[in-house]
Amino acid sequence: MTALLKPQTIESAPADSRATLEGIKKGFGFIPNLMATFANSPAVLNGYMGLDAAWEKSSLTPKERQLVLLTTSVANQCPYCIAAHSTILKGMMKVDPQIVAAIRAQQSVTDTKLAALVQFTREAVNERGHVSERTKINFLEAGYQAPAMMEVLVGIALKTISNYLDHLNPTTIDDAFKGEA
């Protein structure tokens, strides 16, 4: 499929996307192609980043949040996001590569708490929010509080936006993420 939307630079982006792109560049050291593509629509870029800011304040740890994002990207079959979140987990967060590999292969994770989180996320994505009672009980028994179920939905929403954009408009994987492509 041909990409109809081109990644924008700070200079080429609509005026209402520029400040957000500058913040992204400051945070990452570069502007990832997906964010640069979001910049075609200030409403999408700024809405996505606003939801991301709320997600950062959830009760989940940074590692748990990244696992939700990776699990969602795998379920939604998004090559760009799988590569990006695998890179972040393994490279920046030093998460056990076996955990990342298990999620990418849609297999069980050996850590009980993380396994409950991954299963809850996977089931919520695959079953469109219809999570079984057993999976909810496992999630709670693993040590998560009930509000965390809603917070996982925020992560799923974030990734669904970016995953679906990649489906509609395939995004070139950035050099920084190609090792996990």
Side-chain angles (χ1 to χ4, degrees), residues 9-159:
T9 64
I10 293 170
E11 297 76 25
S12 69
D16 288 344
S17 290
R18 292 179 186 157
T20 303
L21 286 178
E22 287 171 356
I24 291 167
K25 185 174 183 180
K26 185 178 179 184
F28 277 90
F30 70 102
I31 301 171
N33 285 330
L34 189 69
M35 299 295 115
T37 302
F38 279 159
N40 284 280
S41 169
V44 174
L45 176 65
N46 295 321
Y48 184 88
M49 295 308 293
L51 188 58
D52 185 61
W55 171 238
E56 294 291 321
K57 294 176 183 166
S58 75
S59 65
L60 300 173
T61 68
K63 174 182 173 179
E64 290 167 335
R65 289 193 307 269
Q66 282 296 318
L67 292 173
V68 167
L69 301 178
L70 177 60
T71 301
T72 303
S73 297
V74 169
N76 285 332
Q77 302 172 6
C78 179
Y80 181 95
C81 295
I82 292 169
H85 295 292
S86 295
T87 299
I88 292 166
L89 282 161
K90 289 167 63 176
M92 295 169 54
M93 300 183 114
K94 307 297 184 210
V95 170
D96 182 345
Q98 291 180 334
I99 292 173
V100 175
I103 292 170
R104 289 179 67 147
Q106 298 189 53
Q107 297 173 344
S108 297
V109 174
T110 55
D111 178 282
T112 304
K113 186 171 186 183
L114 296 180
L117 175 65
V118 169
Q119 180 57 34
F120 181 89
T121 303
R122 189 179 288 147
E123 197 169 312
V125 174
N126 291 335
E127 300 302 323
R128 309 298 187 266
H130 296 278
V131 177
S132 71
E133 289 302 312
R134 178 77 265 162
T135 297
K136 287 188 262 185
I137 290 167
N138 288 346
F139 183 81
L140 297 171
E141 288 179 349
Y144 294 102
Q145 299 299 311
M149 289 189 276
M150 294 186 297
E151 293 172 349
V152 169
L153 298 179
V154 174
I156 291 169
L158 274 169
K159 283 298 94 183

